[in-house]
Amino acid sequence: MARDLRGFLKILEERGQLRRIDALVDPDLEIAEISNRMLQCGGPALLFENVKGAAHPVAVNLLGTEQRVCWAMNMDKPQELEELGKKLGMLQQPKPPKKISQAIDFGKILFDVVKAKPGRNFFPPCQQVVTEGSDVDLTKIPMIRPYPGDAGKIITLGLVITKDCETGTPNVGVYRLQLQSENTMTVHWLSVRGGARHLRKAAENGKKLEIAIALGVDPLILMAAATPIPVDLSEWLFAGLYGGSGVQLAKCRTVDLEVPADSEFVLEGTITPGEMLPDGPFGDHMGYYGGVEDSPLIRFHCVTHRNDPIYLTTFSGRPPKEEAMMAIALNRIYTPILRQQVSEICDFFLPMEALSYKAAVISIDKAYPGQARRAALAFWSALPQFTYTKFVIVVDKEINIRDPRQVVWAITSKVDPSRDVFILPDTPFDSLDFASQKIGLGGRMGIDATTKIPPETEHEWGEPLESDPDVAAMVERRWAEYGLGDVNLTEVDPNKFGYEMR
């Protein structure tokens, strides 16, 4: 499998999913505008080889479709991600095996953990070129500015690596960074994130926080770093579990941190606790510009990179965006873990159009009255990442939750708003959600779109319309005989049904 960015680009090109662009393009607004149009139509990844004011090419939209995210995870189909979720679920909440076969399965997972242990590379490609001290110039990296209201150029797909100054435990996250000068950037992270916790602990100990930014890494490592599953594993081990073998790490030159050895760029620096600068505004995943916040300032004193490095980037905004495609894949990984937490849930889906976490559709095998409401409440408390899910729609297991036509039919045909809609007011809320009356506090809505049973209803429920199974089987057999063999029934164009999907 590809274990670095270049290997993944080669895979995409071999499979016809990479376009090389040699026309001159501007990293200020133009690259994002081109990429956004490709994202809207599910187009290929892009490699801009002639970037204005830069000596390095820019790769974008690598994870712009669900299929390419699967390839990055060394898989072919989204369903395979659920097998990975089962493995992670067993590690998260191991149960005593009741059968020899269960013991064998768990043993295989433990062996996978052993194989996932990171390795060491003492001659890393990421240090083929080294720049230190006053020679550091971050403006040579072709960072983009995606939207006209953005405060400046940004890094979006960098692995931000810090370490607990007491325990030595590393944290690897994906946070936005804003260029402030030739050798400084601000980092935007929530107070609950690992990097922010490490900075607070460094301040308590009167120390600077060492930090490294790895750019242009294997997309599989990005997926591992972006997975907010509460498993007590390092992100490096997590990435090894994703990929089936350990990540090769290298020691930084000037800070006591490790980075992927095949990174295209590595930025090394420190944060002095209390040293802040305004960060933002920038376009965010909600589809609006965020606010301006004082954020920690990083002072970089060393930049290393590969020979002829490639800069990997992306940007946030209203879906579809690469982050939404990554969330769809993570949704598949969550599913077995969620079933382990809430056994009655058959499946769940976080629609991209709902920002991949604001609305959830879950299906249940309904067995008793009130079960849909119970399932919704259990969903909200099952995993920390569902805390900010604003809407939960519960449907019967027969409904394909990934088909919006079926979900809307279930809502309109099975919901009485006075009975089946319930609201929880004043719950913890996403501070980026402008819809709430109070920042950080808002309501949640549950919708029971399941078939009602007594005493939920006092009348008989109608039988759903279905084809005669014998006739349906006959038509299936004779389809080509009708002269309709060239009609592909699996490809649906929503524009033919009154939608305007552009």
Side-chain angles (χ1 to χ4, degrees):
M1 62 170 293
R3 294 317 307 254
D4 63 6
L5 174 62
R6 299 176 187 210
F8 188 60
L9 287 170
K10 182 179 179 182
I11 288 174
L12 295 183
E13 191 158 33
E14 290 172 348
R15 298 178 181 180
Q17 284 291 300
L18 176 70
R19 290 287 185 91
R20 294 177 179 267
I21 298 175
D22 58 11
L24 181 66
V25 294
D26 197 326
D28 188 69
L29 304 180
E30 187 178 6
I31 284 180
E33 178 66 23
I34 297 168
S35 178
N36 194 41
R37 297 186 183 204
M38 297 301 283
L39 287 164
Q40 296 293 323
C41 68
L46 303 173
L47 183 63
F48 295 97
E49 298 180 313
N50 187 7
V51 180
K52 182 179 179 181
H56 312 304
V58 174
V60 68
N61 195 18
L62 268 61
L63 302 177
T65 65
E66 185 182 29
Q67 179 67 79
R68 295 205 293 272
V69 174
C70 288
W71 291 344
M73 302 287 286
N74 199 30
M75 297 176 182
D76 290 319
K77 299 178 181 178
Q79 292 79 5
E80 294 178 60
L81 295 168
E82 293 196 23
E83 292 301 316
L84 176 59
K86 291 178 182 178
K87 181 188 303 183
L88 298 177
M90 289 184 69
L91 287 172
Q92 179 184 338
Q93 289 186 328
K95 298 178 181 179
K98 297 181 179 179
K99 302 177 182 178
I100 293 179
S101 59
Q102 292 176 337
I104 292 173
D105 289 341
F106 191 66
K108 292 178 180 177
I109 292 175
L110 293 178
F111 182 63
D112 288 340
V113 173
V114 173
K115 290 193 299 180
K117 184 179 178 181
R120 297 291 181 271
N121 188 324
F122 297 101
F123 302 97
C126 67
Q127 294 176 3
Q128 289 169 338
V129 179
V130 179
T131 304
E132 296 186 79
S134 59
D135 293 330
V136 168
D137 186 358
L138 302 177
T139 64
K140 292 181 179 180
I141 300 174
M143 304 177 202
I144 67 171
R145 187 170 74 102
Y147 300 105
D150 286 347
K153 295 183 177 181
I154 55 172
I155 287 175
T156 51
L157 280 183
L159 293 182
V160 180
I161 302 156
T162 58
K163 187 164 63 175
D164 187 303
C165 63
E166 292 179 350
T167 67
T169 303
N171 178 79
V172 184
V174 181
Y175 312 119
R176 188 192 72 221
L177 300 108
Q178 176 184 341
L179 182 67
Q180 297 286 353
S181 73
E182 289 184 351
N183 64 352
T184 63
M185 301 189 79
T186 44
V187 58
H188 184 266
W189 51 32
L190 298 176
S191 61
V192 298
R193 300 302 185 193
R197 292 197 304 270
H198 289 174
L199 180 58
R200 288 194 296 270
K201 186 168 284 190
E204 292 169 0
N205 285 270
K207 298 179 179 180
K208 293 183 179 182
L209 179 68
E210 293 186 327
I211 188 167
I213 316 296
L215 306 175
V217 301
D218 180 357
L220 181 144
I221 302 177
L222 290 172
M223 289 294 297
T227 304
I229 298 175
V231 180
D232 290 330
L233 298 171
S234 77
E235 285 84 359
W236 303 134
L237 195 60
F238 213 35
L241 283 172
Y242 273 16
S245 60
V247 176
Q248 293 298 302
L249 299 177
K251 293 279 289 185
C252 289
R253 291 181 64 89
T254 64
V255 293
D256 188 21
L257 296 169
E258 294 179 315
V259 296
D262 290 317
S263 304
E264 295 291 323
F265 293 88
V266 176
L267 318 182
E268 302 177 14
T270 59
I271 300 176
T272 300
E275 194 170 13
M276 316 274 277
L277 278 183
D279 184 283
F282 286 102
D284 66 36
H285 67 282
M286 295 290 293
Y288 303 97
Y289 287 103
V292 179
E293 296 183 43
D294 285 340
S295 299
L297 181 71
I298 310 171
R299 295 187 179 276
F300 293 102
H301 51 259
C302 180
V303 174
T304 71
H305 62 77
R306 299 178 65 152
N307 292 325
D308 303 318
I310 300 167
Y311 178 63
L312 175 65
T313 190
T314 190
F315 54 98
S316 292
R318 186 175 171 180
K321 296 290 182 289
E322 287 187 74
E323 60 193 2
M325 296 300 106
M326 294 169 69
I328 288 175
L330 294 176
N331 184 166
R332 293 279 191 178
I333 296 172
Y334 295 152
T335 301
I337 298 172
L338 180 60
R339 290 196 194 108
Q340 188 168 302
Q341 299 274 6
V342 188
S343 58
E344 60 209 309
I345 291 180
C346 298
D347 200 0
F348 92 108
F349 181 52
L350 301 168
M352 173 184 69
E353 293 76 13
L355 307 175
S356 303
Y357 73 105
K358 283 295 180 182
V361 185
I362 64 178
S363 61
I364 63 171
D365 186 3
K366 188 169 180 177
Y368 56 86
Q371 188 177 9
R373 183 170 300 210
R374 180 193 179 281
L377 294 171
F379 173 85
W380 274 313
S381 59
L383 294 172
Q385 53 267 36
F386 302 146
T387 300
Y388 298 142
T389 301
K390 191 161 32 173
F391 304 98
V392 174
I393 302 164
V394 186
V395 298
D396 296 311
K397 66 176 183 178
E398 292 79 15
I399 298 295
N400 179 1
I401 59 175
R402 290 172 176 80
D403 184 342
R405 299 170 302 175
Q406 294 192 35
V407 174
V408 171
W409 175 79
I411 293 172
T412 52
S413 68
K414 301 187 180 190
V415 172
D416 177 349
S418 64
R419 175 195 61 197
D420 300 327
V421 175
F422 64 96
I423 295 175
L424 304 180
D426 298 329
T427 62
F429 218 56
D430 185 353
S431 61
L432 294 174
D433 195 323
F434 298 132
S436 59
Q437 187 172 356
K438 301 176 182 178
I439 296 297
L441 202 63
R444 307 185 202 188
M445 176 185 289
I447 301 174
D448 178 0
T450 62
T451 301
K452 303 305 177 296
I453 57 178
E456 295 173 329
T457 182
E458 296 178 354
H459 56 77
E460 291 291 324
W461 202 275
E463 288 292 327
L465 304 178
E466 294 180 352
S467 299
D468 180 280
D470 294 332
V471 174
M474 178 190 67
V475 169
E476 181 77 19
R477 292 193 305 270
R478 299 189 61 196
W479 191 249
E481 185 181 339
Y482 302 142
L484 300 174
D486 61 325
V487 179
N488 189 343
L489 300 180
T490 62
E491 293 183 2
V492 179
D493 181 359
N495 294 303
K496 295 179 179 179
F497 296 94
Y499 297 96
E500 295 182 0
M501 305 286 288
R502 296 190 180 91

